[in-house]
Amino acid sequence: MTTEHVVLVGLMGTGKTTVGKRVARELGRRFVDSDAEIEGLHGRSVRDIFESSGEPAFRKIESELLEQLLASDVAVVLATGGGVVLAERNRRLLKQTRHVVWLRAEVGTLESRLRATKGLARRPLLDGDLRQRLEVLSYERGDLYREVATSIIDVDGLDSDQVCDLVLDRVGGSER
Ligand code: S3P
């Protein structure tokens, strides 16, 4: 089994946090959720950082955290925020990481999951027309996720245990 960091990327609602927690438990690793870590370190919600300091301030914090975590010798399972791939600097770091798993989903899947889990209130980029926002983000980011991913899992129709098993399979086999 891998001794390297395992990084999950993908759009909001793909299940990075739920799956990441299970993968970490199976691997006996520390789990880090990027957004939760940022909220804990700064004592403010992601929405509050977006609203009072602006998205660029959030992206800077997010990049610094990514850099710090990936530089650490202690391997973690990291659930990134969906926008981590926007910064070239982050993509460069991710491309040097052995296991970057893209949890990919159809927009319809994300829309129903996000509505069902009440995950919208804390995601400022989804304010407004949810379907349209997801379609734009999916279109804009698809190539960026593909650029950094060592492995892709289509999560539509799968539950988090099934996705977790697939991640474990992939990190056992797929390496840069
Ligand atoms: C964002 C995704 C969110 C959070 C922020 C911005 C994005 O994380 O970092 O609201 O740009 O896709 P999750 O993907 O964990 O929801």
Side-chain angles (χ1 to χ4, degrees), residues 10-13 16-17 33 35 46 50 55 58-59 62 80-84 86 122-125 137 141 145:
L11 283 177
M12 295 173 264
K16 299 177 299 272
T17 302
D33 177 76
D35 289 346
V46 168
F50 264 74
E55 183 173 343
F58 174 80
R59 297 296 176 203
E62 184 177 47
T80 58
V84 76
L86 294 172
R122 54 190 180 80
R123 291 182 167 108
L125 291 184
L137 292 173
R141 295 178 180 176
Y145 293 129

Side-chain angles (χ1 to χ4, degrees), residues 25-159:
R25 198 167 56 218
E26 292 296 323
L27 293 175
R29 294 276 185 81
R30 177 180 170 217
F31 169 69
V32 180
D33 177 76
S34 177
D35 289 346
E37 190 76 6
I38 290 170
E39 292 186 337
L41 289 170
H42 291 262
R44 295 154 75 196
S45 69
V46 168
R47 177 176 283 281
D48 184 37
I49 299 172
F50 264 74
E51 285 173 359
S52 49
S53 307
E55 183 173 343
F58 174 80
R59 297 296 176 203
K60 186 161 177 283
I61 299 170
E62 184 177 47
S63 293
E64 284 164 3
L65 176 67
L66 181 76
E67 190 169 345
Q68 199 187 87
L69 288 167
L70 294 182
S72 159
D73 288 339
V74 181
V76 296
V77 175
L78 171 65
T80 58
V84 76
V85 291
L86 294 172
E88 213 259 309
R89 165 186 167 197
N90 297 350
R91 295 202 300 279
R92 209 172 334 115
L93 287 174
L94 291 169
K95 284 194 269 183
Q96 293 161 12
T97 302
R98 185 144 314 170
H99 306 293
V100 180
V101 183
W102 174 18
L103 304 187
R104 184 169 65 180
E106 301 288 340
V107 164
T109 302
L110 299 177
E111 185 183 10
S112 36
R113 283 192 189 180
L114 286 160
R115 288 196 195 283
T117 58
K118 306 212 183 337
L120 296 174
R122 54 190 180 80
R123 291 182 167 108
L125 291 184
L126 296 179
D127 290 350
D129 182 334
L130 176 60
R131 180 83 188 197
Q132 193 192 34
R133 292 299 303 135
L134 287 169
E135 262 158 14
V136 169
L137 292 173
S138 178
Y139 175 77
E140 287 175 348
R141 295 178 180 176
D143 287 345
L144 304 180
Y145 293 129
R146 187 170 292 107
E147 184 184 328
V148 300
T150 53
S151 180
I152 304 174
I153 297 175
D154 286 309
V155 303
D156 306 284
L158 301 180
D159 66 28

Side-chain angles (χ1 to χ4, degrees), residues 1-2 4 6-8 16-33 75-79 164-165 167-168 171:
M1 201 39 91
T2 182
E4 309 266 346
V6 174
V7 180
L8 303 180
K16 299 177 299 272
T17 302
T18 310
V19 169
K21 274 184 192 158
R22 290 180 195 196
V23 170
R25 198 167 56 218
E26 292 296 323
L27 293 175
R29 294 276 185 81
R30 177 180 170 217
F31 169 69
V32 180
D33 177 76
V76 296
V77 175
L78 171 65
C164 172
D165 288 346
V167 172
L168 292 169
V171 302

